[in-house]
Amino acid sequence: MSVLIAFLSLAVEFVLGYPDWLFRAIGHPVTWFGRLISFLDLRLNRATDPDALRRQRGVQALLVIVLVPAVIGLFVQLVLLWFVPLGFFIAALLATSLLSQKSLYEHVEAVADSLDSGGLAMGRVAVSRIVGRDPEGLDRAAVCRAAIESLAENFSDGIVAPAFWTGVGGLAGGAAYKAANTADSMIGHRTPRHEAFGWAAARFDDWINLPASRLTALLIVLAAFLVKDADPRSAWQAVSRDAKKHRSPNAGWPEAAMAGALGLALAGPRSYGGIVVDDVFMGEGGRRDVDSGDIRRALTLYRVADYLLIALFAVVSVIAVLAF
């Protein structure tokens, strides 16, 4: 039943997204999780404590961060399925808040539109909304590469992963994943404040994203068969050659697939908060002179890969329903 909830949530969120009026009225699950994470960070993460104690408290915080949404999600789903007419569809509607198909497309498309209409300055502003690197140091090609890299990585951890864990565990699985992923983005950094306290969040996020990152790469490779001017063979070769060289155990898989499919070289050295990260290239040997047209090509590839994801969940849902 959980996989059917995941399928329906994918189909609905693809069309509707998360409405702005709803965000203004009640916020978003990520903002709710963020408040919990900030509270625990302030209460448990003390700079005067030794690293061993801060790491232990980081584990304790992660358990709270994951278990509280999971328990709430399980309770809500059980109440909806047992006591509410059409509760199954309401559960699917709630699960749409864990996905970002529509908003991801719009945010990345905004980078291409801004570059075409307002030039580099506007492109930097648009890309700063979806990446953490220093926008002022990016030229036009770097802005475009950053947008495509963000598209590939967020397809994995913003869409495929929450859909996967919702399919495995229903609202509880999807909410737990989203909370853990939010924790990684907030405290899973190698900074003096969070290297010890956020260690558990970062490692746990690496683990729970393993299946989705591999599935995302496969979806992009398969989509390349259906998209004009995309190369599925090069996509597969890039994944096989480059994905494991990335500093992240997960981000390299979708980035390498996207780079190979489009004939680009993504990742490489980048600057975050003034600190240069000397990462390897995904799609080594590909073109680095990327422009807004390549962003639009990447968006087409993403859209087709997303269609394949929805179709996959539809097929698995039918099999699950027939087997049940």
Side-chain angles (χ1 to χ4, degrees):
M1 300 296 284
S2 293
V3 74
L4 186 55
I5 290 176
F7 162 66
L8 291 173
S9 66
L10 279 166
V12 172
E13 199 278 333
F14 179 88
V15 177
L16 300 180
Y18 193 82
D20 290 337
W21 64 264
L22 186 59
F23 180 83
R24 290 192 297 268
I26 64 171
H28 186 276
V30 170
T31 64
W32 308 337
F33 301 149
R35 293 190 190 102
L36 174 62
I37 295 162
S38 295
F39 172 78
L40 294 170
D41 187 21
L42 289 172
R43 291 295 298 270
L44 300 178
N45 186 15
R46 301 185 182 94
T48 55
D49 289 335
D51 283 352
L53 179 57
R54 295 174 80 179
R55 181 175 290 197
Q56 178 183 336
R57 287 178 172 166
V59 173
Q60 295 168 350
L62 180 63
L63 288 174
V64 174
I65 292 164
V66 171
L67 291 178
V68 168
V71 170
I72 294 173
L74 178 60
F75 174 77
V76 170
Q77 181 171 322
L78 290 177
V79 169
L80 289 173
L81 295 182
W82 290 352
F83 302 110
V84 179
L86 299 178
F88 184 83
F89 296 98
I90 297 174
L93 287 175
L94 292 175
T96 63
S97 65
L98 306 173
L99 303 168
S100 58
Q101 298 165 102
K102 193 170 186 289
S103 64
L104 177 59
Y105 188 97
E106 291 172 348
H107 278 89
V108 175
E109 184 182 42
V111 179
D113 291 342
S114 296
L115 284 169
D116 291 341
S117 63
L120 179 58
M122 292 298 295
R124 286 171 172 167
V125 172
V127 82
S128 69
R129 300 188 181 106
I130 58 173
V131 300
R133 68 196 67 175
D134 305 324
E136 295 305 318
L138 303 179
D139 60 16
R140 187 179 179 93
V143 167
C144 295
R145 290 196 301 271
I148 296 172
E149 291 160 12
S150 180
L151 175 66
E153 186 174 355
N154 282 287
F155 180 33
S156 177
D157 60 22
I159 300 166
V160 178
F164 175 86
W165 287 111
T166 300
V168 170
L171 286 178
Y177 168 80
K178 202 66 177 181
N181 185 245
T182 304
D184 176 63
S185 68
M186 293 180 65
I187 62 174
H189 307 295
R190 301 191 67 177
T191 61
R193 175 165 180 80
H194 290 126
E195 184 161 14
F197 184 75
W199 173 84
R203 298 291 76 77
F204 187 66
D205 185 73
D206 288 342
W207 180 78
I208 59 177
N209 274 296
L210 282 172
S213 63
R214 277 64 175 173
L215 176 57
T216 304
L218 178 60
L219 290 169
I220 293 173
V221 172
L222 293 176
F225 281 98
L226 306 174
V227 174
K228 182 181 179 181
D229 297 329
D231 189 337
R233 181 182 179 188
S234 294
W236 182 257
Q237 289 175 340
V239 170
S240 302
R241 182 188 64 237
D242 302 332
K244 293 182 180 179
K245 300 177 184 177
H246 199 285
R247 64 188 173 92
S248 164
N250 296 307
W253 292 77
E255 286 186 16
M258 185 73 75
L262 300 178
L264 306 176
L266 301 176
R270 290 163 287 180
S271 177
Y272 295 87
I275 300 174
V276 176
V277 176
D278 189 19
D279 208 349
V280 298
F281 291 108
M282 298 293 103
E284 186 176 359
R287 177 166 49 86
R288 294 286 285 173
D289 186 19
V290 183
D291 209 341
S292 59
D294 294 301
I295 296 179
R296 301 187 193 282
R297 293 172 60 217
L299 284 167
T300 299
L301 189 62
Y302 155 71
R303 181 55 59 84
V304 174
D306 197 26
Y307 289 149
L308 294 176
L309 175 67
I310 296 171
L312 173 63
F313 271 86
V315 171
V316 176
S317 296
V318 170
I319 294 173
V321 169
L322 292 176
F324 184 79

